[in-house]
Amino acid sequence: MAGNSRRRGAVRKPGTKKGPTVGSGGVRRRGLEGRGATPPAHMRPGHPAAKRAAKAAKAAKGRAAKKTDDTEIVLGRNPVLECLRAGVPATALYVALGTEADERLTESVRIAADSGISILEVARHDLDRMSAHGLHQGIALQVPPYRYAHPDDLLAAANEAAEPALLVALDNISDPRNLGAIVRSVAAFAGHGVLIPQRRSASVTAVAWRTSAGAAARVPVARATNLNRALKNWADAGLQIVGLDADGDTTLDELDGTGPLVVVVGSEGKGLSRLVRENCDAIVSIPMAGPMESLNASVAAGVVLAEIARQRRG
């Protein structure tokens, strides 16, 4: 009956919100305190601006983690093996864990071990991040940036050689395979170095290393901020500047290659640029016996260098 506290349900269960409680634990005091200024949108968890800021920070962190010294990664079993056979100065060979070995991978590991190149076993997803489409075949080679010489040092080394200076300058050569093939020809025909412009030109990448068949380790390559200025300096030092172009005013048969010489090779499509042509003492063309109008840039350079080497042997 009413007022009987002994009946079931008459006593309030502990922990219920209704009715008085013993103390509030400071909840009401903290609730009355101010929370300060509203944080900016990019600092509010869950806000679209905060999500965009987090995404930008993650992308910036990823860019910072990437190599900034032009270090190159060669991917695939054939390219890696060709680079190692050519003596490319690699710093590390990456092999994915669990990769099925074949003759190419086995030979790559053996050459790397004999050359003192670090061999690192990594997770496959690490190699996936190195490649755009994951086409690494379980192996990758890290190649450091090439150390270019200065044009003045190239000239000084050529002048100290026993033979008259023989240098090759490249104008508008954008294919690294052409660069590598020209470096190989320079090495084969006793040239002293190659000069390339810093911009709008192929650089000494792993592809150029591989095409040069290791000649890039013996022939110095210099890079000039201004190709025309470098050619003028070489001309003032007593070198004859000879441009190579299909529309030359003289033929290779008429060229005297026994003196100090700079052979300037233009691109197959555009040829020599206007300013470079104006800085040349002569424009030489290769006489063609067949219906072809021109040769590949690297082939043309090899023909001219072979003729100069023949004249100097005589």
Side-chain angles (χ1 to χ4, degrees), residues 261-279:
L261 198 65
V262 180
V263 178
V264 186
V265 183
S267 67
E268 185 177 356
K270 299 180 180 179
L272 297 173
S273 60
R274 180 181 60 84
L275 292 177
V276 170
R277 180 184 286 267
E278 293 175 356
N279 288 323

Side-chain angles (χ1 to χ4, degrees), residues 15 26 32 114 118 156 199 210 217 227 235-236 249 282-284 291 299 302:
L32 295 175
D114 294 341
S118 300
R199 295 182 298 173
R210 191 168 68 246
L227 180 61
D236 295 340
D249 49 15
I283 304 297
V284 175
V299 175

Side-chain angles (χ1 to χ4, degrees), residues 75 94-96 99 122-131 134 136-140:
L75 303 168
Y94 298 98
V95 180
T99 300
V122 297
R124 181 168 290 272
H125 61 78
D126 290 334
L127 290 185
D128 292 339
R129 287 200 297 266
M130 294 181 185
S131 60
H136 48 71
Q137 298 178 309
I139 190 170

Side-chain angles (χ1 to χ4, degrees), residues 40 100 111:
E100 184 178 354
I111 296 175

Side-chain angles (χ1 to χ4, degrees), residues 58-82:
K58 184 178 180 181
K61 184 178 180 181
R63 289 192 297 269
K66 291 183 179 179
K67 299 177 179 64
T68 58
D69 55 356
D70 297 330
T71 297
E72 187 177 0
I73 300 296
V74 182
L75 303 168
R77 302 197 178 191
N78 283 334
V80 167
L81 180 57
E82 290 175 5

Side-chain angles (χ1 to χ4, degrees), residues 124-208:
R124 181 168 290 272
H125 61 78
D126 290 334
L127 290 185
D128 292 339
R129 287 200 297 266
M130 294 181 185
S131 60
H133 305 289
L135 303 178
H136 48 71
Q137 298 178 309
I139 190 170
L141 188 69
Q142 179 176 294
V143 180
Y146 181 81
R147 294 185 179 182
Y148 293 95
H150 191 275
D152 295 342
D153 297 334
L154 204 65
L155 177 62
N159 289 332
E160 293 176 359
E163 293 287 334
L166 177 58
L167 300 170
V168 175
L170 307 184
D171 181 30
N172 292 323
I173 299 295
S174 58
D175 191 342
R177 291 169 295 185
N178 276 336
L179 171 59
I182 292 173
V183 170
R184 187 174 184 178
S185 296
V186 171
F189 298 113
H192 300 113
V194 177
L195 176 67
I196 62 175
Q198 189 168 356
R199 295 182 298 173
R200 295 186 297 274
S201 173
S203 56
V204 184
T205 61
V207 175

Side-chain angles (χ1 to χ4, degrees), residues 220-278:
V221 178
R223 189 155 58 176
T225 55
N226 190 309
L227 180 61
N228 291 287
R229 186 182 303 120
L231 293 176
K232 289 180 180 178
N233 293 336
W234 285 359
D236 295 340
L239 276 69
Q240 182 184 8
I241 312 297
V242 176
L244 185 58
D245 196 280
D247 299 327
D249 49 15
T250 184
T251 64
L252 181 60
D253 298 336
E254 302 168 344
L255 174 66
D256 181 10
T258 57
L261 198 65
V262 180
V263 178
V264 186
V265 183
S267 67
E268 185 177 356
K270 299 180 180 179
L272 297 173
S273 60
R274 180 181 60 84
L275 292 177
V276 170
R277 180 184 286 267
E278 293 175 356

